[in-house]
């Protein structure tokens, strides 16, 4: 649980496409939980993907969320005490965190490409492959003379997990969860070789810096929670509470993605639907996710 006083939730869209029905359901849940708690809601645009993030998608997300009737107290359009509210403008925070992890021995450099990992494992392509530890054995023989810009590009950095460690937490929707390091996930990416922080590092640092007390997001990120808990512990950051929402699926049972343009909020708006119609349709389509449910503790 958080050490912070007062409820602070967040909306964190990634501007890599248009928001869809699943986003509407999740972000509305985050809004309602902030309202019921009498707390604040923060809008942060997670625009770290240099190839896919587009300013027009960020602008569309702000417009669509406002159209749905969701209101936030801090964000790129209203400012606030804990900005900037674009991740692309927060790079110094991530560099400082990476330096701390390196100095603490929590991470090591990795030269493996995603293609290499795909050949090594049979992991599904929609999540990070279970890392087999290829670079872990040699990492201890590498000596660093100091932290500099050269350490930020050309190679990746991985968080070294403790094999067999169980990470347990309580989720506000799905209840008690349990994931085991080296079984459910392996040494995971913290920094990409193109000089961009990985999701696990950036959101852990930002949620703490913005004093977020509860993270509301989709159930596809349940496993990511275990990784972020490890990052928080390594950096001495308070852990927020967690609430993962059931996923919305298409007619084939596949979870919605931004490629589902017909179910984008923008397309539904253009078809003449009102905000209450979109939210009602989203609520009607919510089903139980195919996410890992940890056993009762």
């Amino acid at each position: 649980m958080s050490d912070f006083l007062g409820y602070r939730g967040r909306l964190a869209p990634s501007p890599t496409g248009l928001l869809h029905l699943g986003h509407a359901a999740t972000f509305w849940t985050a809004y309602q939980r902030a309202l019921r708690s009498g707390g604040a809601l923060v809008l942060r645009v997670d625009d770290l993907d240099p190839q896919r993030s587009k300013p027009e998608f960020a602008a569309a997300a702000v417009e669509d969320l406002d159209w749905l009737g969701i209101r936030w107290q801090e964000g790129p359009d209203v400012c606030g005490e804990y900005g900037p509210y674009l991740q692309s403008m927060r790079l110094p925070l991530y560099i400082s965190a990476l330096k701390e992890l390196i100095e603490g021995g929590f991470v090591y450099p990795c030269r493996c490409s995603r293609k290499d990992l795909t050949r090594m494992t049979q992991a599904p392509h929609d999540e990070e492959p279970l890392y087999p530890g290829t670079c872990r054995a040699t990492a201890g023989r590498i000596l660093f003379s100091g932290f500099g810009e050269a350490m930020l590009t050309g190679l990746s950095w991985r968080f070294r997990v403790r094999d067999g460690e169980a990470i347990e937490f309580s989720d506000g929707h799905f209840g008690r969860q349990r994931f085991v390091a080296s079984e459910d996930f392996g040494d995971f990416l913290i920094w990409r070789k193109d000089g961009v922080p990985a999701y696990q590092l950036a959101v852990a640092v930002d949620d703490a810096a913005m004093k977020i007390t509860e993270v509301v997001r989709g159930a596809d990120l349940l496993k990511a929670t275990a990784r972020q808990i490890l990052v928080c512990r390594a950096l001495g950051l308070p852990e927020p509470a967690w609430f993962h929402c059931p996923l919305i699926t298409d007619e084939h049972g596949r979870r919605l993605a931004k490629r589902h343009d017909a179910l984008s909020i923008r397309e539904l708006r253009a078809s003449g639907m009102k905000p209450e119609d979109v939210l009602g349709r989203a609520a009607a389509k919510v089903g139980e996710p195919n996410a890992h449910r940890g056993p009762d503790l």
Side-chain angles (χ1 to χ4, degrees):
M1 294 297 293
S2 172
D3 294 333
F4 303 129
L5 299 177
Y7 183 97
R8 287 177 60 82
R10 49 86 152 169
L11 313 171
S14 297
T16 57
L18 295 173
L19 301 185
H20 55 59
L21 273 180
H23 297 117
T26 297
F27 291 145
W28 184 259
T29 298
Y31 174 50
Q32 291 299 308
R33 290 184 68 79
L35 277 181
R36 288 196 294 268
S37 300
L41 191 62
V42 177
L43 174 63
R44 183 183 74 226
V45 179
D46 288 2
D47 61 343
L48 282 178
D49 189 323
Q51 282 78 42
R52 300 171 60 213
S53 292
K54 306 294 182 184
E56 56 267 32
F57 290 140
V62 171
E63 184 181 329
D64 288 344
L65 291 170
D66 180 69
W67 177 81
L68 286 172
I70 295 174
R71 302 291 178 259
W72 49 91
Q73 287 68 54
E74 299 174 30
D77 56 336
V78 292
C79 298
E81 184 178 352
Y82 301 103
Y85 295 93
L86 300 176
Q87 282 193 328
S88 58
M89 299 176 65
R90 300 175 64 83
L91 191 61
L93 288 174
Y94 313 138
I95 293 174
S96 177
L98 175 62
K99 180 179 180 181
E100 185 174 341
L101 291 173
I102 292 174
E103 292 175 344
F106 293 102
V107 299
Y108 61 88
C110 175
R111 300 186 182 279
C112 299
S113 68
R114 188 171 181 86
K115 184 180 293 185
D116 293 335
L117 299 181
T118 302
R119 286 197 297 262
M120 295 176 199
T121 69
Q122 299 300 315
H125 295 291
D126 61 349
E127 66 176 44
E128 183 180 331
L130 188 67
Y131 186 64
T134 306
C135 293
R136 183 197 271 199
T138 60
R141 297 199 296 268
I142 300 176
L143 299 177
F144 300 112
S145 58
F147 186 89
E149 292 298 317
M151 301 178 71
L152 301 179
T153 58
L155 49 80
S156 302
W157 289 87
R158 287 188 178 274
F159 191 100
R160 186 196 306 269
V161 304
R162 292 191 294 178
D163 295 341
E165 179 183 7
I167 295 87
E168 302 168 349
F169 62 93
S170 178
D171 184 75
H173 182 86
F174 290 99
R176 294 175 177 175
Q177 300 292 307
R178 183 176 189 270
F179 296 93
V180 179
S182 73
E183 295 179 13
D184 294 311
F185 63 92
D187 294 349
F188 55 91
L189 281 176
I190 282 293
W191 200 273
R192 294 173 13 178
K193 64 181 180 180
D194 58 359
V196 176
Y199 174 81
Q200 317 295 350
L201 177 64
V203 297
V205 168
D206 283 342
D207 287 342
M210 294 179 175
K211 301 190 184 302
I212 302 303
T213 61
E214 182 180 62
V215 171
V216 179
R217 58 189 181 185
D220 54 320
L221 291 169
L222 270 169
K223 189 186 296 186
T225 301
R227 300 181 180 116
Q228 287 163 231
I229 287 173
L230 292 178
V231 172
C232 287
R233 292 175 182 174
L235 292 171
L237 303 176
E239 300 170 24
W242 311 95
F243 189 100
H244 288 80
C245 301
L247 300 181
I248 290 180
T249 58
D250 63 14
E251 64 274 15
H252 304 292
R254 298 171 301 197
R255 68 182 178 91
L256 292 187
K258 289 175 179 174
R259 63 179 177 272
H260 289 82
D261 290 339
L263 293 179
S264 71
I265 298 173
R266 185 56 51 97
E267 186 68 24
L268 296 173
R269 287 177 59 186
S271 72
M273 294 183 70
K274 297 179 179 180
E276 57 268 28
D277 299 327
V278 172
L279 292 169
R281 183 172 178 182
K285 289 179 71 65
V286 168
E288 288 301 313
N290 294 319
H292 172 85
R293 172 70 186 270
D296 290 339
L297 305 183

